[in-house]
Amino acid sequence: MTIPPTEPGNIVLQARDVRFDWSEVPLHWIPGDPVATHLINVLHLLLPAGEEWFVRVFKEAVPHIRDDRLREDVLGFIGQEAVHASSHDQVLDHFLAQGLDVRPFVRQVEFLFEGLLGDRNLTGTRGQAWLYERISLIAAIEHFTGVLGDWILNATALDEAGAHPTMLDLLRWHGAEEVEHRHVAHDLFMHLDGSYPARLRAMAETITALTALWRRGHRFLMAADPIVQGRIKGGLHHVRRTGAAGLTPGGRMVAASIGRYLRRSYSPLNEGSTSQALAYLASSPAARAALR
């Protein structure tokens, strides 16, 4: 792992015991824009089960790590991802309290990660191959979480639109930690496997799955929203509108990041800024409160 000269090195990853008060956060936390709100809310549906899966897979990988520094990074990653999962799980409870029952969709997500991508009780070379396959998928997913983390740290349009500060702090605290540890999954994959065809295959599978999940998740949220009740139509038109307004990640930005990932020379450290992430973590209300 080559650290860019402008970035801090020797960062010790640590879990921050953050807490958020959801009592005053409205269902449409981007005022007047349920479409943009729910496009981002899909994250809350995917992350608890997804990041718990990350933790299980990486714990399985720890005994295979032959580099002390990478082992330390992986353990720090595990700690951070466990807190991410529980923090987003609390948002789901907040949705339910506001009349938005997301449990049917969340059960589908849990089946994906716990069933289809779960432990298959394989041993020997087959067990190792399945472990490496899942690590390649996590590395591809973590590329997107790092890119999205960088985006949310710079999404000033959300502030200008009056997005609720508690939700913004959750997303930016999480995004900053994703930028902070954005190299770990890729480093682990390269350490254990490093196959370029496996990296390409994992990205193709990840793009397919995330695109389908995001579309289905957004349709589900719009239909289940007790205020909107599916009345807002427009689909792709609204998605493009929110991206152009800077309220959600733009398609061109995400596509460009995929192009960079597909290069043999790809390094996640070239995505986002560790310095910016650490600066936000030093100012985040929730992260600062966790230090007291």
PDB file of all heavy atoms in Angstrom, residues 62 144 154:
ATOM      1  N   VAL A  62      -9.161 -13.412   9.475  1.00  0.00           N
ATOM      2  CA  VAL A  62      -8.047 -12.995  10.336  1.00  0.00           C
ATOM      3  C   VAL A  62      -6.963 -14.058  10.464  1.00  0.00           C
ATOM      4  O   VAL A  62      -5.762 -13.745  10.352  1.00  0.00           O
ATOM      5  CB  VAL A  62      -8.568 -12.550  11.720  1.00  0.00           C
ATOM      6  CG1 VAL A  62      -7.407 -12.385  12.704  1.00  0.00           C
ATOM      7  CG2 VAL A  62      -9.327 -11.232  11.593  1.00  0.00           C
ATOM      8  N   PHE A 144     -17.351   1.402  -3.349  1.00  0.00           N
ATOM      9  CA  PHE A 144     -18.513   2.294  -3.422  1.00  0.00           C
ATOM     10  C   PHE A 144     -18.747   3.014  -2.100  1.00  0.00           C
ATOM     11  O   PHE A 144     -19.098   4.195  -2.095  1.00  0.00           O
ATOM     12  CB  PHE A 144     -19.752   1.512  -3.837  1.00  0.00           C
ATOM     13  CG  PHE A 144     -19.734   1.068  -5.265  1.00  0.00           C
ATOM     14  CD1 PHE A 144     -19.680  -0.276  -5.591  1.00  0.00           C
ATOM     15  CD2 PHE A 144     -19.751   1.995  -6.297  1.00  0.00           C
ATOM     16  CE1 PHE A 144     -19.653  -0.691  -6.916  1.00  0.00           C
ATOM     17  CE2 PHE A 144     -19.726   1.594  -7.632  1.00  0.00           C
ATOM     18  CZ  PHE A 144     -19.674   0.244  -7.938  1.00  0.00           C
ATOM     19  N   ASN A 154     -18.716  16.089   1.068  1.00  0.00           N
ATOM     20  CA  ASN A 154     -18.647  17.290   0.235  1.00  0.00           C
ATOM     21  C   ASN A 154     -20.009  17.714  -0.322  1.00  0.00           C
ATOM     22  O   ASN A 154     -20.073  18.629  -1.157  1.00  0.00           O
ATOM     23  CB  ASN A 154     -17.677  17.045  -0.928  1.00  0.00           C
ATOM     24  CG  ASN A 154     -16.251  16.861  -0.446  1.00  0.00           C
ATOM     25  OD1 ASN A 154     -15.587  17.819  -0.077  1.00  0.00           O
ATOM     26  ND2 ASN A 154     -15.783  15.620  -0.431  1.00  0.00           N
TER      27      ASN A 154
END
